[in-house]
Amino acid sequence: MKKYLEILKSCPLFEGVEEGELLSMLHCLDARVDVYDKKYTVMTEGAPATYIGAVLSGAVQIVQLDYYGNRSILSEVGAGGLFAEAFACAGVEALPVSVIASEPSEIMLLRCHCILHTCSKHCSHHQALIFNLMRDLANKSLQFHQRIEITSRRTTREKLLAYLNVRAREMGSASFDTPFDRQELADYLEVDRSGLSAEISKLRAEGVLESHRRHFVLL
């Protein structure tokens, strides 16, 4: 576990935790690390919501399929990020989403019960973990509302420009990469891929933006 200390220290769950305490904490949390290839399913919709995931390397996408098989990408989580924490903390019987590795990834799974309930050792770090977890859930709630603001726009053009403006603010630059390819971006915005590609071409022709694959420049 020592080789993961640096990335774990950047994880919101372990903010403010001393390095020496972190190692002993992982044992209390029943932590385990698994390696996943690209497109491998880390968590499956319908499975018990027992674990919180921390991305040590790579990235995962939170994905939901409707009755007709249409895919929506709810979010992408990169190295240092957490996923499935809301479902595990809520105690839902089954996950309403799947978690898919979007690139080769190392994932640490932490048993949620061990975070929310103190162990027999009465470790002092549990209060800090619960506080950090609450703050992370609050931030995820804000991100969720932000996505709703984007996907509730009426047209593909409005959704795309809203997303690109949010992304530019996050990256602090008008020139940036997105974590999505064209199909993934369409799934995130909940639009048709061909319609999305057509809008990107129109915006390029109008001088609103430049783009190449995942890279965009707002002009």
Side-chain angles (χ1 to χ4, degrees), residues 108-211:
M108 177 176 286
L109 297 177
L110 307 161
R111 195 177 293 275
C112 184
H113 177 85
C114 297
I115 298 175
L116 298 179
H117 299 82
T118 57
C119 64
S120 58
K121 298 178 182 178
H122 300 289
C123 305
S124 60
H125 55 252
H126 270 99
Q127 291 300 321
L129 284 185
I130 292 172
F131 174 81
N132 288 343
L133 185 58
M134 289 178 60
R135 183 166 54 185
D136 175 73
L137 289 171
N139 287 329
K140 289 290 177 66
S141 178
L142 293 174
Q143 292 171 16
F144 177 72
H145 284 290
Q146 185 179 71
R147 181 177 182 273
I148 290 176
E149 288 181 3
I150 293 171
T151 57
S152 63
R153 302 296 175 96
R154 295 195 175 197
T155 67
T156 297
R157 182 189 183 100
E158 290 173 346
K159 291 180 181 183
L160 174 62
L161 288 175
Y163 169 74
L164 294 178
N165 276 282
V166 168
R167 184 67 179 173
R169 287 199 301 270
E170 289 176 348
M171 304 305 292
S173 172
S175 177
F176 54 87
D177 291 329
T178 73
F180 305 124
D181 61 25
R182 284 288 186 271
Q183 183 60 60
E184 291 169 343
L185 183 56
D187 291 340
Y188 179 82
L189 297 176
E190 299 183 356
V191 299
D192 180 71
R193 177 179 175 172
S194 60
L196 175 64
S197 296
E199 285 299 334
I200 292 174
S201 296
K202 289 179 185 177
L203 291 167
R204 281 201 301 249
E206 294 169 15
V208 176
L209 57 79
E210 295 176 356
S211 69

Side-chain angles (χ1 to χ4, degrees), residues 52-115:
I52 293 174
V55 182
L56 303 176
S57 67
V60 300
Q61 292 177 346
I62 315 303
V63 175
Q64 192 168 47
L65 295 176
D66 67 15
Y67 180 78
Y68 301 101
N70 298 311
R71 181 179 73 160
S72 292
I73 297 177
L74 305 181
S75 65
E76 173 145 322
V77 181
L82 296 173
F83 60 88
E85 64 273 43
F87 308 119
C89 290
V92 298
E93 292 185 0
L95 286 169
V97 299
S98 292
V99 181
I100 312 294
S102 55
E103 55 187 86
S105 304
E106 293 175 286
I107 306 296
M108 177 176 286
L109 297 177
L110 307 161
R111 195 177 293 275
C112 184
H113 177 85
C114 297
I115 298 175

